[in-house]
Amino acid sequence: KAGVTQTPRYLIKTRGQQVTLSCSPISGHRSVSWYQQTPGQGLQFLFEYFSETQRNKGNFPGRFSGRQFSNSRSEMNVSTLELGDSALYLCASRPTADTEAFFGQGTRLTVV
Amino acid sequence: QQQVKQSPQSLIVQKGGISIINCAYENTAFDYFPWYQQFPGKGPALLIAIRPDVSEKKEGRFTISFNKSAKQFSLHIMDSQPGDSATYFCAASYSNYQLIWGAGTKLIIKP
């Protein structure tokens, strides 16, 4: 069974640009969550999608948005990139809300 | 309150010793308490999880102790090994809600 796949693995963008990250969940998993992790920091929750609907949202500015497609694949978009957006962005999928979350390897975003 | 408070922030333990990481929560609606282990460059992976109907769960060298009345739960790693050196996160959740994460504990096992 394939795990959670995130693409790309690494990304370098310039301040002011926008970026789209992709996450393919484990087959059959309908919940996809996104997290931002900076060095020495914990997991900052961005949002969760379940069956194409945003179910929960963290405290991030509107520059951070996401969506989920009918095949459960999810994308996260960050517009008007700032230097502080440099981080590891993790995607996690789970079959239902109160079960194990499986994480991808993450996308390392560097904003210069 | 939705916070999960984790301590200590970092921990150094001798090989063969017991590593103990603690978490406390406020929301009594939480009914799922997992612990995740993260190695550098990797995403977190589930280590062990517990629900509030039991006070302890053991899987190999890893044990979760759960105190419902105190709203605390802890991870014990027995016979700690250098390969256990990683960052550990506790979390809590309830039906249809996202996982609420602790801040993480960086564990170093000295040979």
Side-chain angles (χ1 to χ4, degrees), chain A:
Chain A
K1 197 172 187 181
V4 177
T5 304
Q6 290 187 247
T7 56
R9 289 291 314 279
Y10 302 93
L11 206 49
I12 300 175
K13 288 286 188 178
T14 303
R15 193 169 43 181
Q17 286 186 313
Q18 75 165 19
V19 66
T20 299
L21 312 181
S22 180
C23 172
S24 293
I26 292 172
S27 178
H29 287 193
R30 296 161 65 189
S31 166
V32 174
S33 299
W34 288 90
Y35 296 88
Q36 181 194 67
Q37 187 174 37
T38 49
Q41 297 297 310
L43 294 157
Q44 305 298 313
F45 173 74
L46 281 153
F47 27 67
E48 179 188 17
Y49 287 87
F50 186 86
S51 295
E52 302 179 67
T53 301
Q54 187 180 87
R55 183 162 64 181
N56 296 295
K57 189 177 189 302
N59 295 323
F60 276 80
R63 299 186 297 108
F64 292 81
S65 63
R67 59 178 175 169
Q68 187 180 32
F69 302 96
S70 58
N71 62 358
S72 292
R73 190 177 71 85
S74 178
E75 287 182 347
M76 188 192 93
N77 185 77
V78 187
S79 62
T80 319
L81 283 165
E82 300 176 359
L83 296 178
D85 296 334
S86 296
L88 178 68
Y89 289 88
L90 291 161
C91 165
S93 77
R94 45 183 179 164
T96 58
D98 58 350
T99 54
E100 177 181 358
F102 294 83
F103 283 84
Q105 297 259 56
T107 294
R108 172 77 60 188
L109 172 64
T110 302
V111 182
V112 297

